[in-house]
Amino acid sequence: VLKTLNSWFWWENIWMPINCSWAHFVDREGLVFPRPHQLYATIPYAFVLLIIRFLSERFIAIPLAKALGIKNIRRVKPQPNPVLESYFRECTKHPSQSEIQGLAKKCNCTVHFVEKWFRRRRNLEIPTVLRKFREAFWRFSFYLASSIGGFMCLYDKPWFYDIWLTWVGYPFQTMLPSQYWYYMAEISFYWSLLFTIGIDIRRKASGHALIDFMAHIVHHLAAIGLMSCSWCGNYLRIGTLVIFVHDTADFWLEAAKMFNYAHWEKTCNALFIIFAIVFFITRIILFPCWILRATLYQPTFYSTTPVIAYFLFNGQLLTLQGLHLYWGYLIFKTLRKFIRSE
């Protein structure tokens, strides 16, 4: 069954234009093509990024946080109590007064002790400001490095200025070393985010934790799927443009969060406004009008019979655009509150 599914997945009519086959994608005469099996390397690279994250958070983020006046608050742990711990995990974190009295009798302790135990246990679940700062610092560092690296990868490429050139010579476009490492870093980063999504702080942009949690999972999976499909189909030129457009706004947001945790309100507000402007320009204007136009409309000039990958690739791009609109709405709401409070 797996062999049949594998043969269907790599069916040439899915990925290749007419009269092309996988046999044509053999490195020759200076042409180097991406190989699907190379994507396996993103898993160990993701663990390398996790090591880098740990070291950067410990030896850079923590000293920086202290320099900005952020203290490491140590919360008091409640005394070990299997009965209360079980009730906390399985029943409720906020027991009623009658429930507290019942637990006090069951544990042979005072009501005050049970109330204090639950209060301390709830406090342990609240992430400290230092932990929030460390996570924001890691994302800021990666997105900033990725944006700089992406610009260095693209600034001297003609298709960066004329997006029509992303399709000239397709599919026989050579893979550049800069494109290889750009893709490896990005896919590995999103794998690392998926690996730690259960322990990372859950963002509550909309006020609904589960919705935002699922939105982040969908975003990470869509990003990995999109980049992996574009790699297999040799859409590296347009793919690097998609990555660059996405990363250029994110480090502004993470920088705003860092200064917010340090209570630098004016700096935080200025950075958030810059983030909102860059976000709306790149993801609400440039992405649909520049990127989607190049992936939906321009390929029809080079082939009258789009392959199945055309629909897979654009379906994932449209999924991302839906998420852009969702997050754009949340950003607009935040900006409106900010303007009204001024």
Side-chain angles (χ1 to χ4, degrees):
V1 175
L2 292 176
K3 188 175 180 181
T4 303
L5 291 174
N6 185 65
S7 63
W8 285 353
F9 184 80
W10 296 112
W11 184 35
E12 290 169 339
N13 287 355
I14 293 178
W15 302 97
M16 300 290 110
I18 296 176
N19 299 325
C20 288
S21 66
W22 292 113
H24 290 95
F25 287 84
V26 177
D27 297 350
R28 64 185 186 280
E29 299 175 358
L31 291 176
V32 179
F33 299 104
R35 294 280 191 274
H37 68 80
Q38 292 171 319
L39 294 174
Y40 292 127
T42 59
I43 302 297
Y45 287 156
F47 287 101
V48 172
L49 283 179
L50 290 176
I51 295 173
I52 296 173
R53 172 181 175 175
F54 172 79
L55 295 175
S56 64
E57 286 185 1
R58 182 167 184 176
F59 296 106
I60 302 177
I62 293 178
L64 179 60
K66 291 180 179 179
L68 292 174
I70 299 174
K71 297 179 180 179
N72 184 19
I73 300 174
R74 296 185 180 275
R75 296 195 171 98
V76 180
K77 293 183 178 180
Q79 296 179 14
N81 191 305
V83 175
L84 298 181
E85 181 68 28
S86 176
Y87 199 87
F88 181 88
R89 290 180 177 275
E90 298 174 8
C91 299
T92 179
K93 299 178 182 180
H94 299 271
S96 63
Q97 195 62 33
S98 60
E99 290 173 323
I100 290 175
Q101 292 174 354
L103 288 169
K105 291 180 180 179
K106 190 174 183 180
C107 297
N108 194 25
C109 58
T110 64
V111 170
H112 176 71
F113 174 85
V114 176
E115 290 175 340
K116 186 172 66 174
W117 191 95
F118 271 90
R119 184 169 59 252
R120 288 181 174 179
R121 185 63 181 84
R122 285 193 298 268
N123 288 339
L124 287 180
E125 302 250 313
I126 302 173
T128 63
V129 175
L130 180 60
R131 183 183 169 192
K132 293 179 181 179
F133 183 90
R134 287 164 52 186
E135 287 192 16
F137 174 82
W138 166 244
R139 287 179 168 84
F140 165 80
S141 301
F142 180 85
Y143 288 131
L144 178 62
S146 177
S147 298
I148 295 172
F151 181 76
M152 294 176 64
C153 171
L154 291 167
Y155 83 96
D156 60 344
K157 306 300 186 295
W159 54 86
F160 186 55
Y161 307 96
D162 183 2
I163 202 167
W164 281 89
L165 297 178
T166 56
W167 299 110
V168 173
Y170 180 82
F172 301 109
Q173 298 170 341
T174 190
M175 178 181 67
L176 304 174
S178 58
Q179 292 173 329
Y180 173 85
W181 288 111
Y182 198 19
Y183 261 78
M184 291 294 109
E186 285 288 329
I187 298 176
S188 301
F189 176 70
Y190 283 104
W191 275 123
S192 72
L193 292 182
L194 273 180
F195 294 158
T196 59
I197 198 167
I199 59 175
D200 284 343
I201 299 169
R202 293 192 181 187
R203 273 63 184 172
K204 298 180 181 179
S206 69
H208 300 281
L210 181 59
I211 294 176
D212 290 315
F213 180 71
M214 294 305 299
H216 278 87
I217 291 179
V218 171
H219 175 269
H220 298 341
L221 290 175
I224 293 172
L226 174 62
M227 288 185 284
S228 299
C229 287
S230 66
W231 178 272
C232 296
N234 198 21
Y235 300 117
L236 301 187
R237 291 185 180 181
I238 193 69
T240 50
L241 294 178
V242 172
I243 296 171
F244 182 72
V245 164
H246 276 75
D247 286 350
T248 49
D250 288 337
F251 69 87
W252 293 105
L253 175 62
E254 301 303 329
K257 290 179 182 178
M258 291 165 59
F259 283 102
N260 178 52
Y261 301 143
H263 300 292
W264 290 35
E265 293 185 6
K266 292 183 178 179
T267 305
C268 170
N269 293 339
L271 289 170
F272 184 79
I273 290 173
I274 295 173
F275 157 72
I277 293 172
V278 176
F279 182 93
F280 282 107
I281 290 175
T282 56
R283 302 200 192 183
I284 306 300
I285 298 175
L286 277 181
F287 187 79
C289 299
W290 190 46
I291 299 294
L292 287 180
R293 181 174 179 270
T295 59
L296 288 168
Y297 172 67
Q298 292 178 3
T300 60
F301 282 83
Y302 296 92
S303 175
T304 56
T305 55
V307 293
I308 298 175
Y310 167 87
F311 300 100
L312 295 174
F313 187 60
N314 282 293
Q316 293 173 92
L317 287 175
L318 291 171
T319 300
L320 280 181
Q321 183 58 22
L323 289 170
H324 295 164
L325 295 174
Y326 167 70
W327 280 317
Y329 168 71
L330 299 179
I331 293 169
F332 177 75
K333 282 181 29 177
T334 304
L335 277 177
R336 188 172 59 181
K337 290 180 182 178
F338 169 73
I339 293 171
R340 287 179 177 178
S341 64
E342 288 294 320

